[in-house]
Amino acid sequence: MAAPEGLDPKQAHIVAQWPHDRPLNASRFDPLGRYVFCGSEDALVERYQLADGARTLLSGGHATWVRALAFSQDGAYVISGGHDGKLTWWETAAEAPQPVRTIEAHKGWVQALAVSPDGALLASAGNDNLVRLWNVSDGALVRELPGHASHVYSVAFHPQGAFLLTGDLMGVIKQWDVASGKATRTFDAAPLHTYEGGQQVHFGGVRALAVSPDGKWLAGGGLYKATNPLGAVHEPLVLLFDWESQKLERQHIAEGITQGVVWSLAWLGDGSLMGLSGGGSGGFLLFWKPDAEKDYHRFGLPNLARDMGLHPEGLQVATAHYDRHVRITRLAAKVA
Amino acid sequence: MNVNYACRSAEHGMARRQFLGAMAATGAGVLSSGLGVFARPAVAEQLASQQKRIVVFNMHGGLSQLESWDPKPGAPTGGPFLAIPTSVPGIQICELLPRTAQQMHHLCLVRGVNTSEDDHGKGAYMMMTGRRQTPAADYPQIGAVAAKTLTPETSALPGHIIITPGGGGGRGNDAAYLGPKYSSVQLGNGNPPQNTVRPESLSESSDSARQGFRQRLNERFLNRRRTAVTEAYTYSYEQAQQLMRQREIFDVAKEPEKDFERYGKHDLGRHCVLARRLLEHGITFVQVSHSNYDTHNENFHFHIEQLGEFDQAFSSFIQDLADRGMLDSTLVVVLSEFGRTPNINQYYGRDHWSRAWSVCLAGCRIPRGAAFGKTNADGTAVEEGQVDHGNLFHTYLQAAGVDSSGSFDIDGRDTPIADPSSHAVTDLLA
C-alpha cells in the first residue's frame, strides 16, 4: 500500500461538516468514495454526498440506534448493524434507499461489522458473545463462531483473507480460521480490560482492531488507567502485536487525554497507525509509528468523536460526533 | 425512662400480648432466663404467621429509570434499548428486564417519583428515612423503623439486616433515636454476623457456667430493680446469645444448590437467596444492595452488565415469595437515591436526575400488576401521580400495616414515626 500523494497527518484540517438531528455513533465512506454513511442515536442511517453534503435519511431498517456499517466490495450495498440485533442491506446509491434485506443477526446489539478482502463474507460481532459470518450476496448465515465469554466489540479481517480477528470486553482477541471456523490463536489484550472492585464493573475491552496492510502488525485499541470507570476516568491505549510471534511489541499511549478511549483504528499509506479517541477536551485523531510509544502527532477535533472511517484514497477521514455532526478531515496540506 | 413500646400497630400489639402471655405461662423470671422459651414452634409459628416483613433492594448509585421501569424507546432521551411487554397487558418495561417482565403481575411501578435532590448522600438519606437531612435532627432508616414496629418483642433475632456487596460487617449507625437495638446488623458480602462464634479458647462447659452465673445475678438484681434499662440490657444480651445459637440461619450454603443456579452464580444471586432465607426465618427487615449504577460513563454498557444480574436474581426472588405465599406478608421495595438524566451525555452516560424517576414495589397492601404515575414523552418531568420520598416512606409503612401517622415514645416525648407533613399514597394501598 503506497502512501497517497500529499498524505501528511501533521497538515490535517477539517474540510467539511454536516449536521444531523441526533448525536452520531458511526461513520464510514463507501468503497467508491462517493458518500459518507452514518449511524446515530435514532433508528436511521444517514447518507451524505461527499461532493456537497446532501443528506438522505434511510429509514425502516432498524427499531433503534444504528451502531455499525459495512459495504459490499463493489459498493453497491451498504449494510447497517443496529442495537436491535439486526443487519439491514440497502442500495448504496439509490435515490431513496429502502431496506433490501433485514435479518435477525444477534440477540442484543450488533457491535461491529467487517467485510472479507474478497468481498464474499460479512462478519458481525454481537453482545450475545457470538461472531457470525454471512454471505454478503444473499445474507445467508455461513458460520457461527462461538468462543468468546463476553460481549464482542470489534472485528477485522486479516488482509490476506484467511483469518478473522475479534476482540471482546475481557480483553481477549481471537484469531479464527475463516475456512474452518476454528479459533486458532488468542492474543492477550488484558491491559485493555479493567475490573473495578469498588464499583463492581467490568470495563474497557477491545474497542477497535486493525491489521497492517503488510500483515506484520495487529493493533487493538481501547482504554486503560480506568480508575473510575463509571466516571469516565481513563486514557486511550493501543496494543501493538507482532503478527507472527504474537509478542506485544508496544503499548501506544496518548498522554494527557483524560476520559479518552480509542473507538476506531486505521493504517495509513505511510505506515502510520491512526486512532480516533474521544476525550474530555474533545475528540482526537492520534498518529503513531510502530517504533514509538507516544503519538507523533494529534489532531484536535472540535467535539468528542465516536467513530471514524478512512476514505478509500487514504487522505480523508469521516468522524461521527456527539454534537450531531459528521466531519471530514483531510490529512494533507490545505489546497491554496 | 419509659419503655419504648409506643408503636400502636396491630401486629405489634399482638406480639406484645403474646409476649406477656408467654411470660405468664412460663412464670416470673423468664426474661432473665433467656429468650429461648419463645422460640418454641407453636409460639414462633403464630408470630410468624402475622408478622409483616420488608425487603429493600438498594440499587446503589442511581438506577436509570429509562433502562428499567419507565422506558422511552424512540425518544431522543430514550437510549438504545427497546421496551418489552410484560405479564400485565399494557405495561411495558425495558428489554434489559425480560424475566422481571414475567413477574409484573406481582409488581407495582411508581413512575412519578420526584425527590428534587441530586446528591448521592442526601438522596439516599431521603429515600431511606423519608425526610430531608438537616443539621438539627437525625432520623432512623426504614430498616430501624421496621425493626421496631414490626419485630415481635419475643424475637430472638435482630430485626434489621443489611447485606452489603463488599466485605466488612458489624453494626450500622442508622437507627438514630430508636437506639442501637434497632441499628442494622451488616452481613459483609452475605457472610454471617461478625463475632458470633464462641472463641476456641473458651470451652462449652465454661461458657455455659459463665452464662448461668450471669443469669443468677440478673435474677437477683431484677427482683429488686426492674426497669426499662435493665430489661433492654438483658434483652440485648440474650439476643446476642440467641444469635450465636442460631448462627446457622445466616448460612446461605444451607439453601439448595439449584436455587443458586436460578438466582445466578454471582454475588447478587447469593445475596438474594440469603435474603429469602432470612425472611423465611422471621427476620423483619432485609436490605440487599447492588452496586453500582452511577453510570456517568457508558450507561448502557453498565446497565446491561448490572441489570443482567438483577433481572435473574430479582425475578427468581419474587417468584419464590409468590410461590411460598410470602408476598401477602412481605413488602418489596426496589429503590435508589435518584434516577438518571434523560439527557445522554457525550460519554454515552446519564447523570443524576431526581425530578422524574421510578420505584418498584410489591407485596403486602401494594396493588399487584399496576403502574402508578406517568412521566412525559421524553421522561424529563412527572405528568401524573407525583410522589416524593416522604410519600413513599409513609406508603411503605402503611403497606406493611404500620400506622405511619403514629409516634414513638422517645424518652417520654412523642416522636412521629414518619414525616408528619407528608402522607401515604392511598392509590398504592389496596
Side-chain angles (χ1 to χ4, degrees):
Chain A
M1 177 178 171
E5 187 176 344
L7 174 65
D8 183 358
K10 292 184 178 180
Q11 301 291 324
H13 60 283
I14 294 173
V15 294
Q17 62 175 31
W18 301 306
H20 182 53
D21 308 317
R22 302 266 184 100
L24 300 178
N25 297 325
S27 53
R28 290 288 188 278
F29 289 99
D30 80 286
L32 302 183
R34 301 160 293 177
Y35 304 105
V36 178
F37 284 79
C38 295
S40 51
E41 291 185 10
D42 53 27
L44 304 172
V45 174
E46 298 81 51
R47 184 185 70 185
Y48 297 88
Q49 194 159 286
L50 193 55
D52 57 9
R55 184 180 66 159
T56 303
L57 300 179
L58 286 60
S59 63
H62 294 280
T64 184
W65 295 7
V66 174
R67 176 94 195 158
L69 297 162
F71 298 87
S72 62
Q73 195 175 38
D74 61 4
Y77 296 96
V78 55
I79 306 157
S80 53
H83 288 253
D84 54 4
K86 293 177 181 173
L87 296 176
T88 297
W89 275 247
W90 317 77
E91 283 187 71
T92 303
E95 185 175 350
Q98 299 297 312
V100 173
R101 176 185 307 110
T102 295
I103 60 175
E104 302 282 347
H106 290 273
K107 186 177 180 183
W109 300 358
V110 174
Q111 288 272 12
L113 297 173
V115 170
S116 61
D118 67 1
L121 296 173
L122 170 72
S124 63
N127 273 4
D128 52 5
N129 303 353
L130 291 173
V131 179
R132 289 193 168 103
L133 293 172
W134 314 87
N135 268 334
V136 171
S137 59
D138 60 6
L141 178 65
V142 175
R143 195 159 287 120
E144 185 173 284
L145 309 178
H148 281 284
S150 62
H151 297 171
V152 191
Y153 284 169
S154 51
V155 59
F157 279 92
H158 188 277
Q160 292 171 359
F163 300 111
L164 180 73
L165 287 307
T166 55
D168 68 19
L169 166 63
M170 306 305 284
V172 173
I173 299 173
K174 285 185 176 293
Q175 177 184 331
W176 308 88
D177 179 78
V178 172
S180 69
K182 303 290 186 191
T184 54
R185 296 197 300 177
T186 298
F187 293 78
D188 180 8
L192 296 175
H193 166 260
T194 297
Y195 179 74
E196 213 292 313
Q199 298 176 344
Q200 301 201 308
V201 291
H202 291 278
F203 182 51
V206 185
R207 304 294 176 94
L209 281 169
V211 184
S212 60
D214 61 4
K216 179 173 173 49
W217 304 111
L218 167 64
L223 59 91
Y224 78 137
K225 293 186 178 179
T227 55
N228 180 3
L230 299 180
V233 180
H234 46 76
E235 295 184 22
L237 179 67
V238 175
L239 304 180
L240 188 68
F241 295 94
D242 180 275
W243 174 260
E244 288 299 330
S245 69
Q246 294 190 280
K247 180 187 173 191
L248 178 58
E249 196 70 34
R250 199 146 336 274
Q251 297 198 35
H252 288 313
I253 61 173
E255 291 179 331
I257 302 180
T258 55
Q259 301 165 311
V261 51
V262 173
W263 286 108
S264 185
L265 289 167
W267 290 91
L268 301 180
D270 65 354
S272 299
L273 178 63
M274 177 173 65
L276 173 85
S277 173
S281 54
F284 295 92
L285 293 175
L286 304 169
F287 302 92
W288 294 279
K289 293 291 188 185
D291 59 357
E293 178 188 39
K294 297 178 184 177
D295 51 318
Y296 72 86
H297 182 63
R298 65 181 64 176
F299 177 67
L301 295 159
N303 183 260
L304 184 140
R306 294 163 162 180
D307 193 25
M308 72 171 182
L310 182 64
H311 191 279
E313 41 84 292
L315 276 181
Q316 296 183 88
V317 184
T319 47
H321 291 265
Y322 173 71
D323 70 355
R324 308 175 186 208
H325 281 80
V326 57
R327 293 186 169 87
I328 308 300
T329 297
R330 187 170 173 81
L331 306 176
K334 291 181 180 177
V335 178
Chain B
M1 176 180 174
N2 296 322
V3 183
N4 296 332
Y5 298 139
C7 171
R8 292 185 279 274
S9 74
E11 286 73 20
H12 196 136
M14 183 286 304
R16 176 65 175 153
R17 287 191 295 276
Q18 186 66 53
F19 174 77
L20 294 173
M23 280 190 74
T26 54
V30 63
L31 190 59
S32 61
S33 299
L35 291 164
V37 65
F38 296 114
R40 293 183 316 183
V43 177
E45 283 174 17
Q46 189 179 349
L47 289 172
S49 68
Q50 299 177 58
Q51 183 191 350
K52 296 292 191 293
R53 306 170 187 84
I54 298 176
V55 57
V56 167
F57 291 85
N58 180 13
M59 312 295 267
H60 188 68
L63 169 68
S64 170
Q65 69 282 3
L66 295 151
E67 275 68 60
S68 55
W69 313 119
D70 194 12
K72 305 285 183 185
T77 55
F81 299 114
L82 302 173
I84 55 172
T86 68
S87 60
V88 178
I91 296 180
Q92 295 197 329
I93 61 175
C94 180
E95 64 173 318
L96 295 180
L97 298 169
R99 300 183 193 204
T100 302
Q102 296 310 307
Q103 302 298 325
M104 184 53 63
H105 52 291
H106 298 304
L107 307 177
C108 177
L109 305 180
V110 185
R111 284 172 164 166
V113 181
N114 180 355
T115 45
S116 300
E117 178 54 69
D118 293 337
D119 177 82
H120 282 292
K122 292 175 181 174
Y125 188 90
M126 290 162 63
M127 290 303 292
M128 289 300 178
T129 66
R131 313 195 203 206
R132 276 200 174 271
Q133 200 167 14
T134 74
D138 190 19
Y139 296 102
Q141 294 194 4
I142 180 68
V145 174
K148 180 163 177 62
T149 56
L150 297 174
T151 305
E153 286 294 330
T154 52
S155 176
L157 292 166
H160 183 187
I161 299 287
I162 294 180
I163 303 169
T164 62
R171 299 300 294 262
N173 181 25
D174 41 27
Y177 44 70
L178 296 182
K181 179 178 174 181
Y182 300 104
S183 64
S184 59
V185 173
Q186 300 188 345
L187 309 183
N189 198 23
N191 294 317
Q194 293 179 332
N195 306 316
T196 52
V197 177
R198 177 167 48 78
E200 286 184 11
S201 58
L202 184 65
S203 71
E204 193 170 346
S205 60
S206 297
D207 191 34
S208 178
R210 192 177 64 153
Q211 294 302 330
F213 181 59
R214 183 184 59 78
Q215 286 170 356
R216 285 196 300 280
L217 289 179
N218 266 355
E219 285 172 20
R220 187 173 163 189
F221 186 80
L222 290 175
N223 283 337
R224 290 177 295 160
R225 300 182 186 179
R226 190 185 191 94
T227 68
V229 172
T230 57
E231 207 169 301
Y233 170 82
T234 305
Y235 180 92
S236 299
Y237 217 102
E238 294 303 334
Q239 189 186 55
Q241 292 294 312
Q242 283 296 320
L243 198 57
M244 291 177 71
R245 289 188 200 106
Q246 300 190 54
R247 195 171 189 271
E248 198 171 86
I249 288 173
F250 298 90
D251 186 359
V252 73
K254 303 291 183 189
E255 295 296 315
E257 179 60 27
K258 62 180 174 50
D259 286 355
F260 296 102
E261 296 285 346
R262 284 196 301 122
Y263 279 64
K265 289 281 197 179
H266 40 67
D267 286 349
L268 181 67
R270 186 166 49 83
H271 296 170
C272 288
V273 174
L274 175 60
R276 187 193 69 189
R277 178 177 175 83
L278 295 176
L279 294 167
E280 283 187 313
H281 281 83
I283 301 287
T284 301
F285 179 92
V286 180
Q287 179 178 314
V288 177
S289 291
H290 193 211
S291 184
N292 190 292
Y293 291 89
D294 192 21
T295 49
H296 298 278
N297 183 40
E298 301 201 7
N299 170 78
F300 307 109
H301 278 148
F302 288 127
H303 272 75
I304 292 174
E305 189 173 332
Q306 304 293 45
L307 286 178
E309 290 186 355
F310 175 78
D311 184 48
Q312 184 177 8
F314 179 70
S315 61
S316 299
F317 181 86
I318 292 294
Q319 178 72 63
D320 282 356
L321 258 57
D323 290 349
R324 298 174 188 207
M326 293 172 67
L327 266 184
D328 289 340
S329 60
T330 308
L331 174 72
V332 182
V333 182
V334 185
L335 54 72
S336 292
E337 55 263 53
F338 39 60
R340 305 214 73 81
T341 49
N343 179 58
I344 300 162
N345 69 28
Q346 61 182 345
Y347 307 116
Y348 291 114
R350 296 190 192 269
D351 303 307
H352 303 175
W353 186 255
S354 59
R355 281 178 254 170
W357 59 290
S358 304
V359 162
C360 175
L361 304 175
C364 289
R365 292 178 61 195
I366 299 298
R368 313 286 167 91
F372 175 78
K374 183 182 173 188
T375 53
N376 60 5
D378 57 8
T380 55
V382 177
E383 281 190 340
E384 295 174 13
Q386 180 165 294
V387 301
D388 67 9
H389 53 290
N391 301 132
L392 290 169
F393 197 82
H394 275 276
T395 304
Y396 304 154
L397 293 173
Q398 296 274 6
V402 176
D403 178 5
S404 62
S405 66
S407 296
F408 294 120
D409 180 349
I410 306 298
D411 294 341
R413 288 186 301 176
D414 280 349
T415 304
I417 291 176
D419 185 348
S421 68
S422 187
H423 56 84
V425 183
T426 53
D427 286 343
L428 291 173
L429 297 168

